[in-house]
Each structure stands twice: as structure tokens, then as C-alpha cells.
Amino acid sequence: MIVRYNLSIFTKVRRLPFLKLICFPLMICLFSCGNIRKATYFYNVEESSFRSVEVENLEPVLKENDLLSITVSSVNPEAAEMFNKANISATQSATSANRSSSVSGYLVDQDGYIRFPILGKIKASGKSKKALREELTTALKTRKLLIEPIVDIRYLNFKISVLGEVKNPSVLTVPSEKISLLEALGLAGDITIYGNKDNVVLIREENGVRRLRRIDLTSRDIFTSPYYYLKSNDIIYVEPNEAKVSGASQVKQWIPVVLSAISLAVVTVVTVGNK
């Protein structure tokens, strides 16, 4: 009886029109190719030239808990040495480990100040690096502590977080203090096949307020966007696309169906075998 049942099914399949047999594979191919725009960076972008975003305008203001490297040089290196001791310990900590177990460099405290040798407490929060650099240079000249001082300020904790549908979600430390959105995604292993490229979320804190921006990486507008270059503490989140969401939900829906079908087949086989 089992043989007859299988033959009857085969006979029904043979009676199906030829077009019905090829429609289903054809539909799969059409749907799989339909969303190529969403899976490609800069889809249909022709050869073009884009004016680079001014990096100087992107320089964030200093804020509490920023860790700074302040290097002072002068025509008298020995006199400038006392201002660079904090930077030496910061460099040693960064070389021995990716994260420092102790506070090194010049930390902007909760009141917004740094403690600088001889000059004492200097207000840092709310200022750009350029403004603080000019203020320190002027103070060193006015108090005749150094001759022709040169002050350089860099971040020691410039970092970017990349989360979601990327190969390697991670927190990236950026020594150069300049990184684009595309470079950050590249360092995180790029967006996976399940990532949504036309709706990438950027979370940025501006003036004490966290703002969320959505960016379309399939558009040429990304090259002229003010969010092309990232700022310290930016968070990038790549959402899953519809294919992954629907695939996950379909798997959950089909699990009980498949289990029920297996159970029904087992019961049928046992029943037929007993007869």
C-alpha cells in the first residue's frame, strides 16, 4: 500500500502543467535579484567629484571625562619637560595594554577643568582643542615660563562604537582623531549580507543631547553629508534587513508545522505497517 501511495503522488506531479513547474524557481530568482539596490553601496552612482567636508568644522568641544595628551615644546627642552610628564605615563600605559588601569594624561574632571603644572586649574570643557591650545600658549608666554612655546593637544580616548549587523561589532580606538563612517565599517569587518545599508543609524551627542541620524549608504549624498566624518563617542548601529527579520520569523512559524508533519508521517507509517 505504501508503494501505491507514492506512485499516486508521482502521477499527480506528472499531470502538472510545465509552466507551473518552472514558475516557482523563476519567482525565487526574481525576488532574490529585486533588492540589489539595497545590498550595494552607492548604487548607480556615476563617476563624480565631491567637495570634501571641512574636518576643522567637525572638531568637537572638550567635555568632562575627556583624556588629553598635551605636549609642550620650546627652544629650551629642559624647561618644557615638566609639562610633558603626564604624557609619558599615558604613552607607556597605552603601549602595554589597550586600556589603561590608571588615569594618565590630562583628564577633564567633572567640573570641566584640567590641572596643568604651574598654571594650576584651567577650564577645558566647552572649548575646542584649538581654543585651549591658544590659551595655554598665551599663559606660558605671559608668565614667562617658556620661550616661544608650542602646544599640541590630542585625544587619548577618541573612540567609535560599531554595533549591529557587521562582521565584528566592536569599539574602535582612533589615534589619528579622524575617521569616516566607511572606514569605521571597514574596521568592523563591513556590513553583513543581512545588514540594512540604506538606513544606518548614527547616534551622536551634541551639546549634551544625544541625537539619532539615519544615513543611506546606497546614495551619493553620503559623500557630502556632515556625518561622513565621525566624532569621538559616536555610535553606529546597522539594522537587520527584512530578509533576516522575515527569515527568523518564518523559521519560528515553520518549526511547529514541520514537527507536526513529521509526527503525522510517523503515525501514518506505523498505521499502514500494522495493516
Side-chain angles (χ1 to χ4, degrees):
M1 294 184 66
I2 299 176
V3 175
R4 292 180 181 177
Y5 180 74
N6 291 337
L7 288 175
S8 64
I9 293 176
F10 179 73
T11 303
K12 292 179 181 179
V13 172
R14 282 175 48 186
R15 292 176 182 174
L16 289 175
F18 178 72
L19 289 177
K20 290 184 179 181
L21 292 177
I22 66 172
C23 278
F24 185 67
L26 183 60
M27 289 175 64
I28 293 177
C29 292
L30 289 175
F31 280 112
S32 62
C33 298
N35 290 328
I36 188 172
R37 183 185 69 81
K38 294 184 177 182
T40 307
Y41 288 107
F42 328 125
Y43 180 77
N44 203 24
V45 175
E46 300 176 354
E47 292 187 9
S48 305
S49 298
F50 302 94
R51 183 179 298 276
S52 178
V53 180
E54 293 294 336
V55 180
E56 188 69 23
N57 297 332
L58 298 175
E59 183 176 356
V61 296
L62 301 172
K63 57 184 182 299
E64 293 76 10
N65 297 320
D66 278 343
L67 190 60
L68 307 175
S69 167
I70 303 179
T71 304
V72 181
S73 59
S74 172
V75 293
N76 186 351
E78 295 180 356
E81 186 178 355
M82 69 173 68
F83 301 106
N84 299 318
K85 290 182 179 180
N87 297 320
I88 295 174
S89 62
T91 304
Q92 291 174 344
S93 298
T95 302
S96 60
N98 291 330
R99 52 185 180 182
S100 177
S101 58
S102 60
V103 176
S104 303
Y106 291 94
L107 179 68
V108 182
D109 63 23
Q110 294 300 317
D111 296 324
Y113 289 86
I114 61 171
R115 299 181 181 277
F116 204 74
I118 302 179
L119 298 181
K121 294 178 63 177
I122 303 292
K123 184 70 173 181
S125 65
K127 300 177 182 178
S128 66
K129 290 191 304 177
K130 180 180 179 180
L132 181 59
R133 180 171 63 246
E134 292 176 351
E135 181 178 343
L136 291 174
T137 302
T138 301
L140 291 172
K141 285 182 179 180
T142 303
R143 298 184 60 173
K144 298 181 179 180
L145 297 173
L146 293 175
I147 301 175
E148 299 181 5
I150 299 175
V151 179
D152 181 63
I153 302 177
R154 302 178 64 86
Y155 282 101
L156 290 176
N157 60 343
F158 193 105
K159 62 183 185 298
I160 304 295
S161 301
V162 185
L163 309 173
E165 284 297 330
V166 292
K167 185 177 181 181
N168 301 309
S170 54
V171 178
L172 307 174
T173 301
V174 187
S176 65
E177 300 181 18
K178 178 184 176 183
I179 186 171
S180 69
L181 175 59
L182 300 177
E183 288 174 322
L185 291 172
L187 291 173
D190 201 5
I191 299 177
T192 69
I193 191 66
Y194 298 109
N196 192 351
K197 291 185 175 66
D198 61 0
N199 200 20
V200 175
V201 178
L202 172 64
I203 303 172
R204 173 176 294 176
E205 184 173 335
E206 299 174 316
N207 300 322
V209 180
R210 291 185 180 88
R211 292 184 171 86
L212 185 148
R213 305 296 185 212
R214 295 187 178 272
I215 302 171
D216 184 0
L217 294 181
T218 66
S219 170
R220 60 183 292 171
D221 295 338
I222 179 61
F223 295 106
T224 56
S225 170
Y227 306 106
Y228 179 77
Y229 286 106
L230 302 177
K231 295 183 179 181
S232 181
N233 298 316
D234 277 355
I235 300 174
I236 304 167
Y237 174 65
V238 181
E239 297 178 337
N241 56 26
E242 297 178 0
K244 182 167 186 178
V245 175
S246 60
S249 60
Q250 287 177 3
V251 169
K252 293 180 180 179
Q253 293 175 359
W254 278 99
I255 286 177
V257 176
V258 172
L259 293 177
S260 300
I262 293 175
S263 301
L264 180 60
V266 172
V267 171
T268 302
V269 171
V270 172
T271 303
V272 172
N274 292 335
K275 292 182 178 182

